Structures are given as C-alpha cells and as structure tokens.
Amino acid sequence: ILRNLKIYRNLMKTLMCMFFSHFKKTCVHTRRSDFILQRFYSSDPVFIRNALIYLNGTTEIDRTKHRKIVIFGDDQEFMKGIFNLSKDKVNHMGFLADYFVSKNRPSDDLIYSKYNCDTVLISAPRSTFGFWMGYLSKGNAVYHMDITHENKEFYRSRSFNSNDFFPIPWITLDFASSENKTVVER
C-alpha cells in the first residue's frame, strides 16, 4: 500500500508540474500573526493586490497572459480574503489569474518556491521566511515591500541601507504616497 501511495503521489506531482508549467507563477508571501503582535509592518491586502497589478504588466499582451498566483503565509483567513472572491478567477484587477492558498507546511512551501515560483512578492519586508522563499525561488525575480515603509524617518536617521537586508537585484516596491495606493518601484 505504501509503495502505491508513493507512486500515486509522485504521479500527482508530475501532473501538477506539467499543468502549471504553461503558466507564469507568482508566489506571494504574507505574514500577519506575530508581526501584528510585535507591531511590525504586516502584510496589507491593498499592497498585495496593487503590487500584483504592477507585476503583471501594463501592456495588453501582459494583461492577456494567464497567471497562477500562489499565496503563502501564516494566516489562512487573511490569505483567503485578499481577493474577496468566492471563485478562483481573479479578473477584477485587469488580468486573468487563478489563485491558490497554500495549506502546506513551511518546509514544503520553500520546496515549492524552489521549483515553481517565477516571481516572488514579499509583502512583509521583515519576514525572514519571505526572504528565504525569494532567495530559493526558481526564477529569483523577487519584489518586496520597502522595509522603510512603516517608519521612514527612523530609518533615515540611522543611516539605514536596505541593501544590507535584500540582495541588490531584488526590486523594492512601495505605495506612491500615503494618499496614492498605486504601487511603484523605489
């Protein structure tokens, strides 16, 4: 029985990889629970939605490509509520995508990232798990919320260098301003 179970599991993994290989996979890392308690900047659904709009392009060709969005994190209800949808199709953001909420163990999420994530969005910049998910990802195209977003004055007064936290090729994103929630590169 165990041998058949292993064969079945490997077959399912192979079929899923074949099915998903035709789509661009964007992996979104979220972090809420302890970050809220510690008063760190935690994942914001407005940032996530607007960052996905930014990442998925502004040209007609980019908007017509089908996407797979996989959401990882520590708060299942938050992750399910990011798009406020009962269906799997996310098309109200200007592009077509299927989204999936991971229910895997953290170690399985890292393995998934290594073999499947073309792009990683880290929505909680202080998350070390998010860092490793991006670092180990298949595509190593990593975008992250600006770590200074929550308290720019504090970081500026201390000669803070964000390159000490994130590899230089990774792209920093933030809201255009406190009033304008459009996501832009920093």
Side-chain angles (χ1 to χ4, degrees):
I1 293 176
L2 285 176
R3 182 172 181 258
N4 289 338
L5 184 60
K6 286 181 183 180
I7 291 170
Y8 175 75
R9 192 173 87 198
N10 289 337
L11 176 63
M12 290 307 296
K13 282 183 183 180
T14 302
L15 290 174
M16 287 185 70
C17 287
M18 286 172 47
F19 174 74
F20 287 122
S21 66
H22 302 302
F23 301 99
K24 178 180 178 185
K25 288 169 282 312
T26 301
C27 297
V28 178
H29 174 265
T30 66
R31 178 88 176 257
R32 300 278 294 172
S33 58
D34 61 327
F35 274 29
I36 292 171
L37 294 173
Q38 298 297 323
R39 298 186 180 172
F40 291 156
Y41 183 82
S42 62
S43 299
D44 175 357
V46 174
F47 172 77
I48 293 168
R49 287 189 297 267
N50 290 349
L52 287 170
I53 290 168
Y54 173 83
L55 293 177
N56 286 295
T58 55
T59 69
E60 186 62 32
I61 292 171
D62 286 337
R63 286 192 301 271
T64 58
K65 291 180 183 173
H66 198 93
R67 308 274 195 287
K68 300 290 181 193
I69 299 170
V70 184
I71 306 165
F72 302 93
D74 61 349
D75 185 335
Q76 288 289 316
E77 292 306 311
F78 171 79
M79 293 186 295
K80 290 176 189 173
I82 291 172
F83 300 108
N84 296 322
L85 295 176
S86 57
K87 302 184 218 174
D88 285 344
K89 298 288 181 203
V90 179
N91 56 20
H92 66 286
M93 297 190 308
F95 60 89
L96 186 61
D98 294 319
Y99 77 96
F100 304 90
V101 174
S102 173
K103 295 178 182 175
N104 295 332
R105 296 179 313 211
S107 58
D108 294 334
D109 289 344
L110 287 176
I111 293 168
Y112 181 89
S113 176
K114 178 177 175 58
Y115 293 106
N116 296 285
C117 296
D118 299 303
T119 303
V120 173
L121 172 64
I122 302 170
S123 64
R126 288 187 179 191
S127 172
T128 54
F129 188 84
F131 174 91
W132 285 110
M133 179 173 277
Y135 188 80
L136 296 172
S137 67
K138 167 186 156 187
N140 204 15
V142 182
Y143 297 81
H144 60 88
M145 170 60 123
D146 186 355
I147 196 164
T148 68
H149 172 80
E150 63 185 312
N151 193 341
K152 290 187 187 318
E153 291 74 30
F154 171 80
Y155 289 108
R156 284 186 190 131
S157 69
R158 305 231 177 347
S159 300
F160 177 79
N161 183 354
S162 64
N163 291 333
D164 292 340
F165 278 79
F166 299 105
I168 293 171
W170 291 13
I171 298 171
T172 303
L173 302 175
D174 202 350
F175 293 120
S177 69
S178 58
E179 297 81 33
N180 183 349
K181 300 299 182 185
T182 302
V183 169
V184 296
E185 283 185 35
R186 292 278 178 221

